[in-house]
Amino acid sequence: MIAATAALVPAVGAQAGTPHQFSLCNNGRGYDTVVEFPNQGAYAFRVLAGKCQTVSPLVGTSNEAVTLYAVQRSWKGPRSHVFAGFSYDDRRVIDITTTGTYGAVNWGWR
């Protein structure tokens, strides 16, 4: 029970990689993941199911807002929903992994 619970809670660990990079691997089934940076003019990128992508968003924000959407078909359409929102320090690297199905998305970050 403890191991299953820990997998659902975002964990902060040792950072690896290059600062100012944001990576997402969508290991989910039946949905794409859209990552939106609402404070950067609603800049967003889409990661298809089974794919990974790394971007270098605008720098200089220590409390950057991020919203994650599960998407089937068009973004912000009837088959699109927010499943996570958080903020992070863009001076660090962030790696996000999504898993599960459209109706039951799990995610974690480090």
Side-chain angles (χ1 to χ4, degrees), residues 22-52:
F22 188 105
S23 298
L24 186 135
C25 285
N26 181 1
N27 296 323
R29 294 181 316 276
Y31 67 93
D32 297 340
T33 300
V34 171
V35 179
E36 180 183 40
F37 299 87
N39 296 335
Q40 293 188 19
Y43 167 73
F45 66 95
R46 186 174 190 145
V47 180
L48 302 177
K51 302 291 182 182
C52 297

PDB file of all heavy atoms in Angstrom, residues 22-52:
ATOM      1  N   PHE A  22      12.437  21.476 -19.608  1.00  0.00           N
ATOM      2  CA  PHE A  22      11.202  20.865 -19.158  1.00  0.00           C
ATOM      3  C   PHE A  22      10.949  19.657 -20.055  1.00  0.00           C
ATOM      4  O   PHE A  22      10.824  19.798 -21.274  1.00  0.00           O
ATOM      5  CB  PHE A  22      10.061  21.877 -19.307  1.00  0.00           C
ATOM      6  CG  PHE A  22       8.765  21.431 -18.711  1.00  0.00           C
ATOM      7  CD1 PHE A  22       8.334  21.966 -17.521  1.00  0.00           C
ATOM      8  CD2 PHE A  22       7.978  20.494 -19.359  1.00  0.00           C
ATOM      9  CE1 PHE A  22       7.123  21.567 -16.975  1.00  0.00           C
ATOM     10  CE2 PHE A  22       6.777  20.083 -18.822  1.00  0.00           C
ATOM     11  CZ  PHE A  22       6.350  20.629 -17.623  1.00  0.00           C
ATOM     12  N   SER A  23      10.928  18.469 -19.467  1.00  0.00           N
ATOM     13  CA  SER A  23      10.739  17.239 -20.242  1.00  0.00           C
ATOM     14  C   SER A  23       9.470  16.534 -19.802  1.00  0.00           C
ATOM     15  O   SER A  23       9.155  16.485 -18.614  1.00  0.00           O
ATOM     16  CB  SER A  23      11.912  16.280 -20.037  1.00  0.00           C
ATOM     17  OG  SER A  23      13.111  16.855 -20.498  1.00  0.00           O
ATOM     18  N   LEU A  24       8.747  15.975 -20.770  1.00  0.00           N
ATOM     19  CA  LEU A  24       7.564  15.183 -20.464  1.00  0.00           C
ATOM     20  C   LEU A  24       7.572  13.940 -21.320  1.00  0.00           C
ATOM     21  O   LEU A  24       7.778  14.016 -22.537  1.00  0.00           O
ATOM     22  CB  LEU A  24       6.277  15.972 -20.724  1.00  0.00           C
ATOM     23  CG  LEU A  24       5.034  15.205 -20.263  1.00  0.00           C
ATOM     24  CD1 LEU A  24       4.098  16.109 -19.495  1.00  0.00           C
ATOM     25  CD2 LEU A  24       4.331  14.536 -21.419  1.00  0.00           C
ATOM     26  N   CYS A  25       7.388  12.796 -20.682  1.00  0.00           N
ATOM     27  CA  CYS A  25       7.201  11.522 -21.375  1.00  0.00           C
ATOM     28  C   CYS A  25       5.772  11.077 -21.119  1.00  0.00           C
ATOM     29  O   CYS A  25       5.363  10.928 -19.968  1.00  0.00           O
ATOM     30  CB  CYS A  25       8.178  10.461 -20.876  1.00  0.00           C
ATOM     31  SG  CYS A  25       9.852  10.708 -21.485  1.00  0.00           S
ATOM     32  N   ASN A  26       5.018  10.903 -22.188  1.00  0.00           N
ATOM     33  CA  ASN A  26       3.630  10.482 -22.077  1.00  0.00           C
ATOM     34  C   ASN A  26       3.566   8.984 -22.318  1.00  0.00           C
ATOM     35  O   ASN A  26       3.557   8.530 -23.448  1.00  0.00           O
ATOM     36  CB  ASN A  26       2.775  11.240 -23.099  1.00  0.00           C
ATOM     37  CG  ASN A  26       1.314  10.857 -23.019  1.00  0.00           C
ATOM     38  OD1 ASN A  26       0.916  10.049 -22.194  1.00  0.00           O
ATOM     39  ND2 ASN A  26       0.515  11.432 -23.884  1.00  0.00           N
ATOM     40  N   ASN A  27       3.535   8.226 -21.237  1.00  0.00           N
ATOM     41  CA  ASN A  27       3.441   6.773 -21.313  1.00  0.00           C
ATOM     42  C   ASN A  27       1.993   6.318 -21.169  1.00  0.00           C
ATOM     43  O   ASN A  27       1.730   5.143 -20.948  1.00  0.00           O
ATOM     44  CB  ASN A  27       4.309   6.127 -20.233  1.00  0.00           C
ATOM     45  CG  ASN A  27       5.776   6.433 -20.448  1.00  0.00           C
ATOM     46  OD1 ASN A  27       6.254   6.481 -21.576  1.00  0.00           O
ATOM     47  ND2 ASN A  27       6.501   6.686 -19.377  1.00  0.00           N
ATOM     48  N   GLY A  28       1.066   7.257 -21.256  1.00  0.00           N
ATOM     49  CA  GLY A  28      -0.353   6.942 -21.115  1.00  0.00           C
ATOM     50  C   GLY A  28      -0.912   6.273 -22.350  1.00  0.00           C
ATOM     51  O   GLY A  28      -0.277   6.204 -23.398  1.00  0.00           O
ATOM     52  N   ARG A  29      -2.142   5.790 -22.203  1.00  0.00           N
ATOM     53  CA  ARG A  29      -2.829   5.124 -23.307  1.00  0.00           C
ATOM     54  C   ARG A  29      -4.125   5.868 -23.622  1.00  0.00           C
ATOM     55  O   ARG A  29      -4.916   6.157 -22.732  1.00  0.00           O
ATOM     56  CB  ARG A  29      -3.148   3.678 -22.925  1.00  0.00           C
ATOM     57  CG  ARG A  29      -1.916   2.815 -22.737  1.00  0.00           C
ATOM     58  CD  ARG A  29      -2.255   1.375 -22.373  1.00  0.00           C
ATOM     59  NE  ARG A  29      -3.296   1.219 -21.369  1.00  0.00           N
ATOM     60  CZ  ARG A  29      -3.099   1.264 -20.049  1.00  0.00           C
ATOM     61  NH1 ARG A  29      -1.893   1.489 -19.579  1.00  0.00           N
ATOM     62  NH2 ARG A  29      -4.093   1.092 -19.216  1.00  0.00           N
ATOM     63  N   GLY A  30      -4.329   6.178 -24.888  1.00  0.00           N
ATOM     64  CA  GLY A  30      -5.588   6.748 -25.319  1.00  0.00           C
ATOM     65  C   GLY A  30      -5.708   8.255 -25.177  1.00  0.00           C
ATOM     66  O   GLY A  30      -6.797   8.791 -25.314  1.00  0.00           O
ATOM     67  N   TYR A  31      -4.606   8.945 -24.898  1.00  0.00           N
ATOM     68  CA  TYR A  31      -4.659  10.401 -24.793  1.00  0.00           C
ATOM     69  C   TYR A  31      -3.285  11.000 -25.082  1.00  0.00           C
ATOM     70  O   TYR A  31      -2.269  10.350 -24.909  1.00  0.00           O
ATOM     71  CB  TYR A  31      -5.136  10.863 -23.411  1.00  0.00           C
ATOM     72  CG  TYR A  31      -4.174  10.538 -22.290  1.00  0.00           C
ATOM     73  CD1 TYR A  31      -3.211  11.456 -21.886  1.00  0.00           C
ATOM     74  CD2 TYR A  31      -4.205   9.308 -21.638  1.00  0.00           C
ATOM     75  CE1 TYR A  31      -2.309  11.167 -20.883  1.00  0.00           C
ATOM     76  CE2 TYR A  31      -3.310   9.011 -20.621  1.00  0.00           C
ATOM     77  CZ  TYR A  31      -2.369   9.945 -20.248  1.00  0.00           C
ATOM     78  OH  TYR A  31      -1.471   9.651 -19.250  1.00  0.00           O
ATOM     79  N   ASP A  32      -3.284  12.246 -25.522  1.00  0.00           N
ATOM     80  CA  ASP A  32      -2.066  13.038 -25.620  1.00  0.00           C
ATOM     81  C   ASP A  32      -2.011  13.921 -24.382  1.00  0.00           C
ATOM     82  O   ASP A  32      -3.024  14.131 -23.713  1.00  0.00           O
ATOM     83  CB  ASP A  32      -2.086  13.929 -26.865  1.00  0.00           C
ATOM     84  CG  ASP A  32      -2.128  13.128 -28.164  1.00  0.00           C
ATOM     85  OD1 ASP A  32      -1.768  11.934 -28.154  1.00  0.00           O
ATOM     86  OD2 ASP A  32      -2.536  13.715 -29.188  1.00  0.00           O
ATOM     87  N   THR A  33      -0.844  14.451 -24.069  1.00  0.00           N
ATOM     88  CA  THR A  33      -0.705  15.387 -22.959  1.00  0.00           C
ATOM     89  C   THR A  33      -0.296  16.742 -23.517  1.00  0.00           C
ATOM     90  O   THR A  33       0.646  16.831 -24.303  1.00  0.00           O
ATOM     91  CB  THR A  33       0.363  14.918 -21.949  1.00  0.00           C
ATOM     92  OG1 THR A  33      -0.016  13.632 -21.428  1.00  0.00           O
ATOM     93  CG2 THR A  33       0.494  15.889 -20.790  1.00  0.00           C
ATOM     94  N   VAL A  34      -1.023  17.777 -23.129  1.00  0.00           N
ATOM     95  CA  VAL A  34      -0.659  19.141 -23.485  1.00  0.00           C
ATOM     96  C   VAL A  34      -0.115  19.808 -22.238  1.00  0.00           C
ATOM     97  O   VAL A  34      -0.724  19.752 -21.166  1.00  0.00           O
ATOM     98  CB  VAL A  34      -1.856  19.933 -24.050  1.00  0.00           C
ATOM     99  CG1 VAL A  34      -1.508  21.411 -24.209  1.00  0.00           C
ATOM    100  CG2 VAL A  34      -2.277  19.364 -25.393  1.00  0.00           C
ATOM    101  N   VAL A  35       1.045  20.434 -22.375  1.00  0.00           N
ATOM    102  CA  VAL A  35       1.679  21.186 -21.296  1.00  0.00           C
ATOM    103  C   VAL A  35       1.512  22.663 -21.637  1.00  0.00           C
ATOM    104  O   VAL A  35       1.942  23.092 -22.701  1.00  0.00           O
ATOM    105  CB  VAL A  35       3.175  20.840 -21.168  1.00  0.00           C
ATOM    106  CG1 VAL A  35       3.822  21.636 -20.053  1.00  0.00           C
ATOM    107  CG2 VAL A  35       3.365  19.348 -20.962  1.00  0.00           C
ATOM    108  N   GLU A  36       0.895  23.423 -20.742  1.00  0.00           N
ATOM    109  CA  GLU A  36       0.674  24.849 -20.981  1.00  0.00           C
ATOM    110  C   GLU A  36       1.395  25.673 -19.922  1.00  0.00           C
ATOM    111  O   GLU A  36       1.387  25.328 -18.745  1.00  0.00           O
ATOM    112  CB  GLU A  36      -0.820  25.167 -20.932  1.00  0.00           C
ATOM    113  CG  GLU A  36      -1.122  26.634 -21.180  1.00  0.00           C
ATOM    114  CD  GLU A  36      -2.595  26.948 -21.059  1.00  0.00           C
ATOM    115  OE1 GLU A  36      -3.257  26.413 -20.148  1.00  0.00           O
ATOM    116  OE2 GLU A  36      -3.082  27.740 -21.868  1.00  0.00           O
ATOM    117  N   PHE A  37       2.023  26.752 -20.362  1.00  0.00           N
ATOM    118  CA  PHE A  37       2.662  27.729 -19.484  1.00  0.00           C
ATOM    119  C   PHE A  37       1.809  29.004 -19.564  1.00  0.00           C
ATOM    120  O   PHE A  37       2.072  29.880 -20.396  1.00  0.00           O
ATOM    121  CB  PHE A  37       4.096  28.005 -19.932  1.00  0.00           C
ATOM    122  CG  PHE A  37       4.980  26.787 -19.903  1.00  0.00           C
ATOM    123  CD1 PHE A  37       5.052  25.940 -20.995  1.00  0.00           C
ATOM    124  CD2 PHE A  37       5.736  26.490 -18.776  1.00  0.00           C
ATOM    125  CE1 PHE A  37       5.864  24.811 -20.976  1.00  0.00           C
ATOM    126  CE2 PHE A  37       6.549  25.361 -18.748  1.00  0.00           C
ATOM    127  CZ  PHE A  37       6.609  24.529 -19.844  1.00  0.00           C
ATOM    128  N   PRO A  38       0.778  29.129 -18.723  1.00  0.00           N
ATOM    129  CA  PRO A  38      -0.170  30.237 -18.865  1.00  0.00           C
ATOM    130  C   PRO A  38       0.435  31.625 -18.694  1.00  0.00           C
ATOM    131  O   PRO A  38      -0.071  32.588 -19.271  1.00  0.00           O
ATOM    132  CB  PRO A  38      -1.226  29.959 -17.791  1.00  0.00           C
ATOM    133  CG  PRO A  38      -0.669  28.910 -16.919  1.00  0.00           C
ATOM    134  CD  PRO A  38       0.433  28.227 -17.648  1.00  0.00           C
ATOM    135  N   ASN A  39       1.516  31.761 -17.960  1.00  0.00           N
ATOM    136  CA  ASN A  39       2.139  33.071 -17.755  1.00  0.00           C
ATOM    137  C   ASN A  39       3.104  33.452 -18.875  1.00  0.00           C
ATOM    138  O   ASN A  39       3.717  34.506 -18.823  1.00  0.00           O
ATOM    139  CB  ASN A  39       2.861  33.124 -16.408  1.00  0.00           C
ATOM    140  CG  ASN A  39       1.904  32.982 -15.254  1.00  0.00           C
ATOM    141  OD1 ASN A  39       0.720  33.289 -15.374  1.00  0.00           O
ATOM    142  ND2 ASN A  39       2.395  32.498 -14.132  1.00  0.00           N
ATOM    143  N   GLN A  40       3.245  32.577 -19.857  1.00  0.00           N
ATOM    144  CA  GLN A  40       4.127  32.857 -20.992  1.00  0.00           C
ATOM    145  C   GLN A  40       3.297  33.005 -22.262  1.00  0.00           C
ATOM    146  O   GLN A  40       3.583  32.406 -23.293  1.00  0.00           O
ATOM    147  CB  GLN A  40       5.178  31.756 -21.142  1.00  0.00           C
ATOM    148  CG  GLN A  40       6.161  31.713 -20.010  1.00  0.00           C
ATOM    149  CD  GLN A  40       7.299  30.742 -20.288  1.00  0.00           C
ATOM    150  OE1 GLN A  40       7.568  30.345 -21.409  1.00  0.00           O
ATOM    151  NE2 GLN A  40       7.990  30.367 -19.239  1.00  0.00           N
ATOM    152  N   GLY A  41       2.233  33.770 -22.164  1.00  0.00           N
ATOM    153  CA  GLY A  41       1.370  33.973 -23.318  1.00  0.00           C
ATOM    154  C   GLY A  41       0.634  32.714 -23.720  1.00  0.00           C
ATOM    155  O   GLY A  41       0.359  32.506 -24.888  1.00  0.00           O
ATOM    156  N   ALA A  42       0.363  31.859 -22.745  1.00  0.00           N
ATOM    157  CA  ALA A  42      -0.319  30.579 -22.970  1.00  0.00           C
ATOM    158  C   ALA A  42       0.482  29.673 -23.910  1.00  0.00           C
ATOM    159  O   ALA A  42      -0.076  28.865 -24.643  1.00  0.00           O
ATOM    160  CB  ALA A  42      -1.737  30.783 -23.467  1.00  0.00           C
ATOM    161  N   TYR A  43       1.824  29.788 -23.891  1.00  0.00           N
ATOM    162  CA  TYR A  43       2.683  28.887 -24.657  1.00  0.00           C
ATOM    163  C   TYR A  43       2.375  27.458 -24.235  1.00  0.00           C
ATOM    164  O   TYR A  43       2.237  27.162 -23.044  1.00  0.00           O
ATOM    165  CB  TYR A  43       4.158  29.219 -24.401  1.00  0.00           C
ATOM    166  CG  TYR A  43       5.107  28.161 -24.903  1.00  0.00           C
ATOM    167  CD1 TYR A  43       5.333  28.008 -26.270  1.00  0.00           C
ATOM    168  CD2 TYR A  43       5.745  27.303 -24.030  1.00  0.00           C
ATOM    169  CE1 TYR A  43       6.189  27.035 -26.743  1.00  0.00           C
ATOM    170  CE2 TYR A  43       6.608  26.322 -24.493  1.00  0.00           C
ATOM    171  CZ  TYR A  43       6.825  26.189 -25.851  1.00  0.00           C
ATOM    172  OH  TYR A  43       7.662  25.214 -26.319  1.00  0.00           O
ATOM    173  N   ALA A  44       2.238  26.561 -25.205  1.00  0.00           N
ATOM    174  CA  ALA A  44       1.916  25.174 -24.906  1.00  0.00           C
ATOM    175  C   ALA A  44       2.577  24.254 -25.928  1.00  0.00           C
ATOM    176  O   ALA A  44       2.917  24.679 -27.034  1.00  0.00           O
ATOM    177  CB  ALA A  44       0.405  24.968 -24.920  1.00  0.00           C
ATOM    178  N   PHE A  45       2.757  23.001 -25.525  1.00  0.00           N
ATOM    179  CA  PHE A  45       3.201  21.987 -26.481  1.00  0.00           C
ATOM    180  C   PHE A  45       2.484  20.685 -26.175  1.00  0.00           C
ATOM    181  O   PHE A  45       2.038  20.446 -25.066  1.00  0.00           O
ATOM    182  CB  PHE A  45       4.731  21.819 -26.482  1.00  0.00           C
ATOM    183  CG  PHE A  45       5.321  21.266 -25.214  1.00  0.00           C
ATOM    184  CD1 PHE A  45       5.576  19.906 -25.091  1.00  0.00           C
ATOM    185  CD2 PHE A  45       5.654  22.103 -24.166  1.00  0.00           C
ATOM    186  CE1 PHE A  45       6.148  19.391 -23.930  1.00  0.00           C
ATOM    187  CE2 PHE A  45       6.226  21.601 -23.007  1.00  0.00           C
ATOM    188  CZ  PHE A  45       6.470  20.242 -22.888  1.00  0.00           C
ATOM    189  N   ARG A  46       2.343  19.866 -27.215  1.00  0.00           N
ATOM    190  CA  ARG A  46       1.589  18.618 -27.128  1.00  0.00           C
ATOM    191  C   ARG A  46       2.551  17.448 -27.261  1.00  0.00           C
ATOM    192  O   ARG A  46       3.388  17.420 -28.159  1.00  0.00           O
ATOM    193  CB  ARG A  46       0.547  18.587 -28.245  1.00  0.00           C
ATOM    194  CG  ARG A  46      -0.395  17.420 -28.193  1.00  0.00           C
ATOM    195  CD  ARG A  46      -1.461  17.580 -29.262  1.00  0.00           C
ATOM    196  NE  ARG A  46      -2.518  16.613 -29.098  1.00  0.00           N
ATOM    197  CZ  ARG A  46      -3.790  16.866 -29.359  1.00  0.00           C
ATOM    198  NH1 ARG A  46      -4.152  18.046 -29.820  1.00  0.00           N
ATOM    199  NH2 ARG A  46      -4.699  15.935 -29.196  1.00  0.00           N
ATOM    200  N   VAL A  47       2.394  16.463 -26.364  1.00  0.00           N
ATOM    201  CA  VAL A  47       3.202  15.252 -26.409  1.00  0.00           C
ATOM    202  C   VAL A  47       2.264  14.088 -26.711  1.00  0.00           C
ATOM    203  O   VAL A  47       1.354  13.789 -25.927  1.00  0.00           O
ATOM    204  CB  VAL A  47       3.960  15.014 -25.090  1.00  0.00           C
ATOM    205  CG1 VAL A  47       4.797  13.754 -25.175  1.00  0.00           C
ATOM    206  CG2 VAL A  47       4.825  16.221 -24.745  1.00  0.00           C
ATOM    207  N   LEU A  48       2.463  13.462 -27.859  1.00  0.00           N
ATOM    208  CA  LEU A  48       1.618  12.354 -28.273  1.00  0.00           C
ATOM    209  C   LEU A  48       1.812  11.151 -27.367  1.00  0.00           C
ATOM    210  O   LEU A  48       2.885  10.983 -26.758  1.00  0.00           O
ATOM    211  CB  LEU A  48       1.932  11.970 -29.720  1.00  0.00           C
ATOM    212  CG  LEU A  48       1.780  13.081 -30.756  1.00  0.00           C
ATOM    213  CD1 LEU A  48       2.204  12.577 -32.128  1.00  0.00           C
ATOM    214  CD2 LEU A  48       0.368  13.636 -30.777  1.00  0.00           C
ATOM    215  N   ALA A  49       0.796  10.306 -27.280  1.00  0.00           N
ATOM    216  CA  ALA A  49       0.882   9.083 -26.481  1.00  0.00           C
ATOM    217  C   ALA A  49       2.091   8.263 -26.935  1.00  0.00           C
ATOM    218  O   ALA A  49       2.319   8.092 -28.128  1.00  0.00           O
ATOM    219  CB  ALA A  49      -0.400   8.273 -26.617  1.00  0.00           C
ATOM    220  N   GLY A  50       2.874   7.802 -25.974  1.00  0.00           N
ATOM    221  CA  GLY A  50       4.050   6.994 -26.265  1.00  0.00           C
ATOM    222  C   GLY A  50       5.289   7.776 -26.656  1.00  0.00           C
ATOM    223  O   GLY A  50       6.299   7.189 -27.008  1.00  0.00           O
ATOM    224  N   LYS A  51       5.239   9.100 -26.587  1.00  0.00           N
ATOM    225  CA  LYS A  51       6.365   9.935 -26.995  1.00  0.00           C
ATOM    226  C   LYS A  51       6.893  10.772 -25.830  1.00  0.00           C
ATOM    227  O   LYS A  51       6.232  10.949 -24.815  1.00  0.00           O
ATOM    228  CB  LYS A  51       5.954  10.895 -28.120  1.00  0.00           C
ATOM    229  CG  LYS A  51       5.411  10.224 -29.349  1.00  0.00           C
ATOM    230  CD  LYS A  51       6.493   9.468 -30.079  1.00  0.00           C
ATOM    231  CE  LYS A  51       5.932   8.844 -31.349  1.00  0.00           C
ATOM    232  NZ  LYS A  51       6.910   8.070 -32.054  1.00  0.00           N
ATOM    233  N   CYS A  52       8.093  11.325 -26.009  1.00  0.00           N
ATOM    234  CA  CYS A  52       8.710  12.237 -25.047  1.00  0.00           C
ATOM    235  C   CYS A  52       9.112  13.510 -25.783  1.00  0.00           C
ATOM    236  O   CYS A  52       9.398  13.474 -26.974  1.00  0.00           O
ATOM    237  CB  CYS A  52       9.967  11.624 -24.430  1.00  0.00           C
ATOM    238  SG  CYS A  52       9.669  10.138 -23.461  1.00  0.00           S
TER     239      CYS A  52
END
